[in-house]
Amino acid sequence: MAPATIRLTPRCVPLKALNRSTGIGVSNTPGVVDASTANTAFYLLLGALRRAHVPAVALRQGQWRGSMTLGHDPEGKILGILGMGGIGSAVARRAAPFDLQMQYHNRNPVADSDNPTGARYVSFEELLRTSDIISIHLPLNGGTKGLIGRREFGMMKDGVVVINTARGKIMDEEALVEALEQGKVYAAGLDVYEREPEVHPGLIKSEDVVLMPHVGTATVETQVSCYF
């Protein structure tokens, strides 16, 4: 039996080098990671709002709540979804029961069928300026690499929460660390990094960041759907 290469992003596979003479099959599995990635994003969102890792780590160290401070509830806050594809719309569906107000930016407004919660379409700049929470769900390409940097953080609300489960290179980590240190960003939730597996020391040090090591799709169900 010929080996099979199955990837979630076909642009990562050298299709031109693979032809019938190689005996290698290539499959694309779009959509199968939407649920698990959206679940991860929402886990990070809630964790960042509460900075839940601080008392959790303190408890394991025998310090009960440690340096925990009061967090925030999601109800009534404005969630800005940057990229309303399959994952972005899955995040919106998960956010609806928490009474979050939703808006999104995409290259173009999406069809009603892809916007089940009726999130409002806004410009990129309006999303940055008016969202209490920003969740990033964009592909990485020439137009999105470094999209969120010092200028964009400066446009955001004071005390914004930023979530990234898309691609690390979309965000300038040095600019994020500065925004966290200045209090511009209240908290962040990250599953992806600019130079994986290296993580910016400022993010490691900060109690204001919930960190995961790019495991957003690491569930039995998702992996079975990808490969079988």
Side-chain angles (χ1 to χ4, degrees):
M1 180 181 294
T5 299
I6 305 178
R7 299 296 297 267
L8 301 177
T9 51
R11 65 181 176 81
C12 297
V13 180
L15 294 176
K16 291 182 179 179
L18 300 175
N19 52 49
R20 292 182 181 179
S21 64
T22 66
I24 299 175
V26 180
S27 299
N28 182 33
T29 53
V32 299
V33 303
D34 291 357
S36 59
T37 306
N39 291 339
T40 299
F42 213 75
Y43 167 84
L44 290 170
L45 186 158
L46 293 175
L49 280 170
R50 297 291 292 267
R51 293 200 274 210
H53 60 290
V54 175
V57 170
L59 182 63
R60 291 181 182 277
Q61 295 175 341
Q63 300 173 12
W64 194 230
R65 295 175 179 172
S67 58
M68 184 195 86
T69 58
L70 293 178
H72 294 281
D73 292 320
E75 286 81 4
K77 292 183 171 52
I78 300 172
L79 170 61
I81 299 173
L82 190 52
M84 196 63 146
I87 296 171
S89 62
V91 168
R93 289 194 297 273
R94 284 152 178 76
F98 287 83
D99 294 329
L100 283 153
Q101 301 175 44
M102 281 173 278
Q103 58 188 17
Y104 75 96
H105 178 71
N106 218 49
R107 283 181 298 179
N108 299 294
V110 299
D112 290 345
S113 58
D114 295 323
N115 184 14
T117 62
R120 186 170 66 98
Y121 179 79
V122 296
S123 69
F124 176 59
E125 290 77 13
E126 183 175 353
L127 184 139
L128 295 181
R129 290 192 176 100
T130 62
S131 298
D132 299 305
I133 306 162
I134 296 173
S135 193
I136 300 170
H137 305 287
L138 296 169
L140 178 64
N141 54 45
T144 61
K145 184 177 181 180
L147 181 67
I148 306 297
R150 288 182 177 84
R151 174 181 173 274
E152 288 70 31
F153 283 116
M155 295 170 63
M156 295 178 190
K157 280 186 173 183
D158 292 343
V160 68
V161 171
V162 179
I163 310 299
N164 189 9
T165 56
R167 290 290 182 268
K169 290 183 182 295
I170 292 172
M171 187 184 301
D172 181 340
E173 286 183 1
E174 182 68 31
L176 172 60
V177 169
E178 290 177 7
L180 286 161
E181 291 175 345
Q182 295 165 1
K184 182 69 174 182
V185 174
Y186 169 76
L190 307 174
D191 186 45
V192 292
Y193 305 91
E194 195 171 4
R195 298 176 182 85
E196 294 182 13
E198 178 186 343
V199 180
H200 193 293
L203 297 175
I204 296 290
K205 182 178 67 175
S206 177
E207 288 192 337
D208 302 331
V209 188
V210 183
L211 303 171
M212 294 178 70
H214 206 154
V215 292
T217 60
T219 68
V220 171
E221 294 80 4
T222 298
Q223 295 305 309
V224 168
S225 296
C226 287
Y227 295 101
F228 298 98

